[in-house]
Amino acid sequence: MNSDAGCYNKFFSHVYVEKGALEYPDTSAILGRLPYAEVVCIDHYKDVFNRSHQDAIAQKRSPAMILAVNSGELVYRGAPVCQSFGQREFYYTASSMNCSFDCEYCFLKGMYNTSNIVCFVNLEDYEREIKKLSNPYVCVSYDTDLIGLNSLTGQADRWVEFASENPEILIEMRTKAAPAKLTPLPNLIYAFTLSPDEIASRFEKNVPPLRARLKAVENAIRDGCTVRLCFDPMIYVEGWKDIYTGLVDQVADRIELGKVKDISVGTFRISSEYLKKMRKQMPRSEVCWFPFTNAGGYASYPEELDNEMMDHMCSVIGKYVDEGRIFTWR
């Protein structure tokens, strides 16, 4: 046990609630799941979330929850660094921001100055905006892990309900969690990010191990869910080729890949500005201090290495699935 383990509060020992969010049903439900938390009323979530001189790394040990009403833009066109899987009407939305998991390479460390988590309780407004779109593909879990937070926020359940009531809208929820049971719907994609044990043990704190995630994938496929597998981001380490080959073979031994919708492959890439912030936060990070190539505002592995990693991974996966079901970031 770390000597300073007792110096930190438990997760969500404090909940900051915007005055405008107090009367929302989701606020009452979330506070009911955190009976031990000290509740602090605030005027605006940014007063806490965006305040200066925060230590995001230390906050990961005991993050606070912030409940708020999002009165700004609710739905965005899909970002260029995200895979659209061939969908023309690609959007994403963020009904929560930040994640309870602690992956060293996560872009959220560069996007936000804090590890506190915001949950917007006006989900009906998000749903209203999405309904205005024409046959959209909407990713709802890029800026958080909704399934990982669902026991507290209930938002993953809310999005499942929304998908059930709106079959013309395609929803994706991406996760590193290992839920025991998921609801199968034809217009709801559960995207599981899978990492080799060697990567997860070094760079993914608080995240379920690979065996637990594979069990969740097995259960989801058995129950008729639409499942996407994401080998993304691949992280360069010594021996990466054998490590990622072993990952794919291990997955293929456990999962009937013919029943998977598709597979995403991508190497680590990130906004150069985000990387700069992450390097300042984590001066000893093996991931962040790799000598990346910078082009067009993004940092990535040098082209030769990047191509080698991508080509190798696609080749290994190609032993098990058709090439047309493998989507890559190039």
Side-chain angles (χ1 to χ4, degrees):
M1 179 180 294
N2 293 335
S3 61
D4 62 349
C7 299
Y8 291 87
N9 296 317
K10 65 172 69 176
F11 270 34
F12 310 126
S13 63
H14 289 71
V15 181
Y16 296 89
V17 184
E18 281 186 350
K19 293 173 183 176
L22 286 170
E23 302 303 319
Y24 280 77
D26 281 4
T27 298
S28 298
I30 293 169
L31 292 178
R33 299 180 190 116
L34 294 168
Y36 56 82
E38 179 178 345
V39 179
V40 181
C41 286
I42 57 175
D43 291 322
H44 197 277
Y45 79 90
K46 292 183 179 180
D47 296 340
V48 177
F49 193 70
N50 289 3
R51 71 176 185 265
S52 58
H53 307 300
Q54 298 188 75
D55 187 337
I57 302 304
Q59 284 176 339
K60 272 294 184 183
R61 297 172 182 249
S62 55
M65 178 74 75
I66 306 169
L67 305 182
V69 176
N70 189 352
S71 57
E73 192 170 359
L74 303 178
V75 184
Y76 303 87
R77 275 281 181 180
V81 292
C82 299
Q83 177 59 258
S84 66
F85 297 93
Q87 299 288 333
R88 295 183 62 184
E89 296 302 314
F90 170 36
Y91 298 86
Y92 78 96
T93 190
S95 57
S96 288
M97 300 191 302
N98 247 341
C99 185
S100 58
F101 298 147
D102 187 8
C103 299
E104 185 173 313
Y105 53 79
C106 183
F107 73 96
L108 297 177
K109 285 182 163 66
M111 178 181 288
Y112 304 130
N113 296 319
T114 180
S115 290
N116 294 328
I117 293 174
V118 175
C119 178
F120 293 113
V121 295
N122 56 319
L123 209 57
E124 295 84 358
D125 295 330
Y126 286 83
E127 295 170 351
R128 191 177 302 112
E129 289 302 306
I130 291 172
K131 286 180 181 180
K132 296 177 182 178
L133 304 174
S134 177
N135 297 315
Y137 163 59
V138 187
C139 297
V140 299
S141 198
Y142 271 171
D143 293 350
T144 188
D145 192 314
L146 290 177
I147 292 176
L149 283 170
N150 190 57
S151 62
L152 287 179
T153 68
Q155 285 199 343
D157 290 339
R158 292 284 302 279
W159 283 113
V160 170
E161 182 180 355
F162 176 73
S164 177
E165 295 171 351
N166 297 274
E168 75 284 1
I169 297 174
L170 181 60
I171 299 289
E172 185 210 72
M173 277 197 285
R174 187 164 298 200
T175 187
K176 289 180 181 173
K181 190 168 181 61
L182 293 168
T183 301
L185 292 170
N187 61 319
L188 178 56
I189 301 168
Y190 296 101
F192 289 87
T193 297
L194 303 178
S195 305
D197 286 321
E198 294 89 342
I199 299 297
S201 62
R202 290 164 65 178
F203 306 122
E204 298 180 356
K205 297 178 183 176
N206 305 328
V207 181
L210 177 61
R211 65 180 182 277
R213 288 185 247 181
L214 288 178
K215 181 62 175 175
V217 173
E218 285 183 300
N219 291 342
I221 292 174
R222 177 203 64 204
D223 293 341
C225 296
T226 302
V227 170
R228 168 173 292 147
L229 300 183
C230 303
F231 301 107
D232 181 8
M234 294 177 66
I235 303 297
Y236 175 82
V237 293
E238 185 176 351
W240 67 267
K241 190 172 291 187
D242 290 338
I243 288 171
Y244 280 98
T245 299
L247 169 64
V248 176
D249 291 341
Q250 185 177 355
V251 171
D253 284 343
R254 290 280 303 273
I255 306 300
E256 191 173 346
L257 292 178
K259 294 185 177 180
V260 170
K261 176 179 175 58
D262 50 39
I263 294 175
S264 171
V265 178
T267 53
F268 179 77
R269 70 263 179 206
I270 194 168
S271 158
S272 300
E273 287 301 313
Y274 291 176
L275 180 63
K276 186 185 301 183
K277 290 173 62 176
M278 291 165 68
R279 284 177 167 176
K280 185 176 181 180
Q281 293 172 345
M282 299 178 290
R284 296 179 179 85
S285 169
E286 178 182 348
V287 175
C288 294
W289 284 94
F290 186 92
F292 295 105
T293 297
N294 287 276
Y298 292 94
S300 61
Y301 294 126
E303 184 176 2
E304 184 176 351
L305 174 60
D306 191 85
N307 287 337
E308 182 183 7
M309 293 175 71
M310 294 285 283
D311 290 345
H312 176 76
M313 196 64 167
C314 291
S315 175
V316 176
I317 296 170
K319 295 189 300 183
Y320 301 103
V321 303
D322 295 335
E323 181 180 323
R325 292 167 55 210
I326 303 173
F327 290 83
T328 63
W329 169 258
R330 294 284 189 176

PDB file of all heavy atoms in Angstrom, residues 45-56:
ATOM      1  N   TYR A  45     -20.604  25.230 -13.690  1.00  0.00           N
ATOM      2  CA  TYR A  45     -19.652  24.125 -13.585  1.00  0.00           C
ATOM      3  C   TYR A  45     -18.230  24.550 -13.909  1.00  0.00           C
ATOM      4  O   TYR A  45     -17.253  24.002 -13.356  1.00  0.00           O
ATOM      5  CB  TYR A  45     -20.085  22.958 -14.474  1.00  0.00           C
ATOM      6  CG  TYR A  45     -19.778  23.074 -15.942  1.00  0.00           C
ATOM      7  CD1 TYR A  45     -18.573  22.596 -16.477  1.00  0.00           C
ATOM      8  CD2 TYR A  45     -20.695  23.639 -16.837  1.00  0.00           C
ATOM      9  CE1 TYR A  45     -18.300  22.683 -17.822  1.00  0.00           C
ATOM     10  CE2 TYR A  45     -20.427  23.729 -18.184  1.00  0.00           C
ATOM     11  CZ  TYR A  45     -19.221  23.250 -18.678  1.00  0.00           C
ATOM     12  OH  TYR A  45     -18.947  23.339 -20.016  1.00  0.00           O
ATOM     13  N   LYS A  46     -18.064  25.536 -14.777  1.00  0.00           N
ATOM     14  CA  LYS A  46     -16.712  25.971 -15.146  1.00  0.00           C
ATOM     15  C   LYS A  46     -15.972  26.620 -13.984  1.00  0.00           C
ATOM     16  O   LYS A  46     -14.737  26.693 -13.984  1.00  0.00           O
ATOM     17  CB  LYS A  46     -16.764  26.919 -16.344  1.00  0.00           C
ATOM     18  CG  LYS A  46     -17.197  26.223 -17.636  1.00  0.00           C
ATOM     19  CD  LYS A  46     -17.175  27.182 -18.824  1.00  0.00           C
ATOM     20  CE  LYS A  46     -17.590  26.473 -20.106  1.00  0.00           C
ATOM     21  NZ  LYS A  46     -17.587  27.379 -21.286  1.00  0.00           N
ATOM     22  N   ASP A  47     -16.721  27.108 -12.985  1.00  0.00           N
ATOM     23  CA  ASP A  47     -16.068  27.683 -11.813  1.00  0.00           C
ATOM     24  C   ASP A  47     -15.201  26.648 -11.101  1.00  0.00           C
ATOM     25  O   ASP A  47     -14.197  27.002 -10.452  1.00  0.00           O
ATOM     26  CB  ASP A  47     -17.105  28.231 -10.828  1.00  0.00           C
ATOM     27  CG  ASP A  47     -17.913  29.380 -11.400  1.00  0.00           C
ATOM     28  OD1 ASP A  47     -17.444  29.995 -12.379  1.00  0.00           O
ATOM     29  OD2 ASP A  47     -19.020  29.646 -10.879  1.00  0.00           O
ATOM     30  N   VAL A  48     -15.573  25.389 -11.205  1.00  0.00           N
ATOM     31  CA  VAL A  48     -14.809  24.293 -10.601  1.00  0.00           C
ATOM     32  C   VAL A  48     -13.981  23.566 -11.649  1.00  0.00           C
ATOM     33  O   VAL A  48     -12.781  23.337 -11.482  1.00  0.00           O
ATOM     34  CB  VAL A  48     -15.754  23.292  -9.898  1.00  0.00           C
ATOM     35  CG1 VAL A  48     -14.972  22.098  -9.336  1.00  0.00           C
ATOM     36  CG2 VAL A  48     -16.522  23.979  -8.785  1.00  0.00           C
ATOM     37  N   PHE A  49     -14.612  23.243 -12.762  1.00  0.00           N
ATOM     38  CA  PHE A  49     -13.974  22.417 -13.784  1.00  0.00           C
ATOM     39  C   PHE A  49     -12.807  23.141 -14.446  1.00  0.00           C
ATOM     40  O   PHE A  49     -11.770  22.531 -14.734  1.00  0.00           O
ATOM     41  CB  PHE A  49     -15.014  22.031 -14.838  1.00  0.00           C
ATOM     42  CG  PHE A  49     -14.583  20.931 -15.774  1.00  0.00           C
ATOM     43  CD1 PHE A  49     -14.440  19.622 -15.319  1.00  0.00           C
ATOM     44  CD2 PHE A  49     -14.347  21.187 -17.114  1.00  0.00           C
ATOM     45  CE1 PHE A  49     -14.053  18.607 -16.173  1.00  0.00           C
ATOM     46  CE2 PHE A  49     -13.966  20.179 -17.982  1.00  0.00           C
ATOM     47  CZ  PHE A  49     -13.818  18.877 -17.509  1.00  0.00           C
ATOM     48  N   ASN A  50     -12.943  24.436 -14.678  1.00  0.00           N
ATOM     49  CA  ASN A  50     -11.934  25.198 -15.415  1.00  0.00           C
ATOM     50  C   ASN A  50     -11.043  26.057 -14.533  1.00  0.00           C
ATOM     51  O   ASN A  50     -10.271  26.866 -15.050  1.00  0.00           O
ATOM     52  CB  ASN A  50     -12.609  26.112 -16.443  1.00  0.00           C
ATOM     53  CG  ASN A  50     -13.203  25.348 -17.599  1.00  0.00           C
ATOM     54  OD1 ASN A  50     -13.176  24.132 -17.629  1.00  0.00           O
ATOM     55  ND2 ASN A  50     -13.771  26.066 -18.554  1.00  0.00           N
ATOM     56  N   ARG A  51     -11.139  25.917 -13.226  1.00  0.00           N
ATOM     57  CA  ARG A  51     -10.333  26.796 -12.383  1.00  0.00           C
ATOM     58  C   ARG A  51      -8.841  26.510 -12.592  1.00  0.00           C
ATOM     59  O   ARG A  51      -8.437  25.400 -12.949  1.00  0.00           O
ATOM     60  CB  ARG A  51     -10.708  26.652 -10.917  1.00  0.00           C
ATOM     61  CG  ARG A  51     -10.321  25.366 -10.242  1.00  0.00           C
ATOM     62  CD  ARG A  51     -10.679  25.398  -8.757  1.00  0.00           C
ATOM     63  NE  ARG A  51     -10.197  24.205  -8.073  1.00  0.00           N
ATOM     64  CZ  ARG A  51     -10.920  23.128  -7.849  1.00  0.00           C
ATOM     65  NH1 ARG A  51     -12.177  23.071  -8.269  1.00  0.00           N
ATOM     66  NH2 ARG A  51     -10.399  22.094  -7.216  1.00  0.00           N
ATOM     67  N   SER A  52      -8.038  27.513 -12.361  1.00  0.00           N
ATOM     68  CA  SER A  52      -6.602  27.408 -12.619  1.00  0.00           C
ATOM     69  C   SER A  52      -5.879  26.672 -11.488  1.00  0.00           C
ATOM     70  O   SER A  52      -6.445  26.462 -10.402  1.00  0.00           O
ATOM     71  CB  SER A  52      -6.000  28.802 -12.797  1.00  0.00           C
ATOM     72  OG  SER A  52      -6.235  29.593 -11.640  1.00  0.00           O
ATOM     73  N   HIS A  53      -4.643  26.279 -11.771  1.00  0.00           N
ATOM     74  CA  HIS A  53      -3.731  25.679 -10.785  1.00  0.00           C
ATOM     75  C   HIS A  53      -4.267  24.351 -10.226  1.00  0.00           C
ATOM     76  O   HIS A  53      -4.044  24.035  -9.054  1.00  0.00           O
ATOM     77  CB  HIS A  53      -3.438  26.655  -9.640  1.00  0.00           C
ATOM     78  CG  HIS A  53      -2.948  27.984 -10.095  1.00  0.00           C
ATOM     79  ND1 HIS A  53      -1.790  28.155 -10.837  1.00  0.00           N
ATOM     80  CD2 HIS A  53      -3.486  29.229  -9.954  1.00  0.00           C
ATOM     81  CE1 HIS A  53      -1.627  29.436 -11.109  1.00  0.00           C
ATOM     82  NE2 HIS A  53      -2.634  30.105 -10.594  1.00  0.00           N
ATOM     83  N   GLN A  54      -4.944  23.577 -11.062  1.00  0.00           N
ATOM     84  CA  GLN A  54      -5.368  22.249 -10.636  1.00  0.00           C
ATOM     85  C   GLN A  54      -4.268  21.234 -10.935  1.00  0.00           C
ATOM     86  O   GLN A  54      -3.503  21.394 -11.888  1.00  0.00           O
ATOM     87  CB  GLN A  54      -6.657  21.832 -11.342  1.00  0.00           C
ATOM     88  CG  GLN A  54      -7.841  22.740 -11.040  1.00  0.00           C
ATOM     89  CD  GLN A  54      -9.129  22.182 -11.603  1.00  0.00           C
ATOM     90  OE1 GLN A  54      -9.708  21.240 -11.084  1.00  0.00           O
ATOM     91  NE2 GLN A  54      -9.606  22.787 -12.687  1.00  0.00           N
ATOM     92  N   ASP A  55      -4.215  20.184 -10.135  1.00  0.00           N
ATOM     93  CA  ASP A  55      -3.273  19.087 -10.356  1.00  0.00           C
ATOM     94  C   ASP A  55      -4.079  17.881 -10.812  1.00  0.00           C
ATOM     95  O   ASP A  55      -4.589  17.106 -10.012  1.00  0.00           O
ATOM     96  CB  ASP A  55      -2.504  18.770  -9.067  1.00  0.00           C
ATOM     97  CG  ASP A  55      -1.393  17.754  -9.285  1.00  0.00           C
ATOM     98  OD1 ASP A  55      -1.467  16.982 -10.270  1.00  0.00           O
ATOM     99  OD2 ASP A  55      -0.456  17.713  -8.463  1.00  0.00           O
ATOM    100  N   ALA A  56      -4.214  17.746 -12.130  1.00  0.00           N
ATOM    101  CA  ALA A  56      -5.065  16.699 -12.680  1.00  0.00           C
ATOM    102  C   ALA A  56      -4.569  15.307 -12.334  1.00  0.00           C
ATOM    103  O   ALA A  56      -5.374  14.375 -12.165  1.00  0.00           O
ATOM    104  CB  ALA A  56      -5.161  16.859 -14.194  1.00  0.00           C
TER     105      ALA A  56
END
